[in-house]
Amino acid sequence: ELRVTDVGGGSSILARRLAERECEVRVMDISSAAIERGKARAGECGERVQWMVGDVTRVDELPACDVWHDRAAFHFLTSEADRARYVRLAERTVREDGYLIVGTFADDGPERCSGLMVERYGEEQLRKVFANGFEVVEMKRAGHMTPWGKEQRFLWGVFRRGR
């Protein structure tokens, strides 16, 4: 059984899709409203998801997982200390040979999101952030169209946990 932790995925449909495929799913989001939207979207499948309201930079431990997925949280970590806590938690949580998938704003992406400052990344910068515990599998740039028709440039990093 694949164990997946989705950081910042409160209102995403990913949890439902993974639960439908019999994965063990954990979703952590800082927003209780986002978690409630995610539960509603997941329907009955949501009963098989562990929903957690919390700040990933303030959590000491999470259960081990095979895949750590983050499409919406990492770029909001603008302090070095918060990024370091995030990386250390991912290193402790992702199993050996497991994967870390991070979608974050690219260096040509927006400087602000939802009224908040964000951190943007080029490939080398993102590689360095996770270099101690993870090796790069793939880096890819992609555009994301917001609901109001504006494109945001993302950098996706897929990393494998070293031994």
Side-chain angles (χ1 to χ4, degrees):
E1 180 174 54
L2 188 67
R3 289 169 285 257
V4 180
T5 297
D6 189 13
V7 176
S11 61
S12 168
I13 61 169
L14 180 62
R16 183 190 83 216
R17 289 184 176 165
L18 291 169
E20 287 171 346
R21 289 164 179 78
E22 305 298 322
C23 294
E24 181 183 307
V25 185
R26 182 173 306 100
V27 177
M28 173 175 268
D29 201 295
I30 200 165
S31 167
S32 59
I35 291 286
E36 291 307 314
R37 283 191 303 273
K39 286 180 182 179
R41 287 178 135 180
E44 289 180 17
C45 288
E47 295 170 14
R48 297 194 306 265
V49 175
Q50 181 183 355
W51 302 96
M52 303 166 61
V53 176
D55 180 341
V56 70
T57 67
R58 302 294 181 248
V59 173
D60 292 324
E61 292 296 322
L62 288 172
C65 67
D66 303 299
V67 178
W68 174 294
H69 176 267
D70 174 353
R71 185 215 132 326
F74 191 68
H75 49 246
F76 287 109
L77 305 182
T78 58
S79 85
E80 185 66 37
D82 283 348
R83 285 190 297 274
R85 283 191 289 272
Y86 179 106
V87 170
R88 283 193 306 270
L89 181 62
E91 289 171 350
R92 289 191 308 270
T93 303
V94 178
R95 293 174 180 247
E96 188 175 291
D97 291 328
Y99 292 88
L100 170 80
I101 303 167
V102 176
T104 191
F105 287 138
D107 48 12
D108 59 347
E111 295 177 1
R112 298 179 74 82
C113 183
S114 301
L116 300 172
M117 292 298 296
V118 297
E119 192 72 22
R120 302 180 306 167
Y121 294 87
E123 289 183 28
E124 191 56 35
Q125 185 183 9
L126 191 60
R127 180 183 326 266
K128 285 180 182 177
V129 169
F130 295 103
N132 289 336
F134 297 90
E135 62 189 49
V136 174
V137 174
E138 183 178 3
M139 292 269 192
K140 184 176 184 175
R141 291 177 176 270
H144 165 71
M145 196 60 68
T146 67
W148 39 95
K150 185 169 179 165
E151 185 183 44
Q152 295 176 330
R153 300 297 301 162
F154 271 76
L155 176 62
W156 284 91
V158 179
F159 301 87
R160 186 168 168 213
R161 181 80 171 97
R163 294 186 170 152

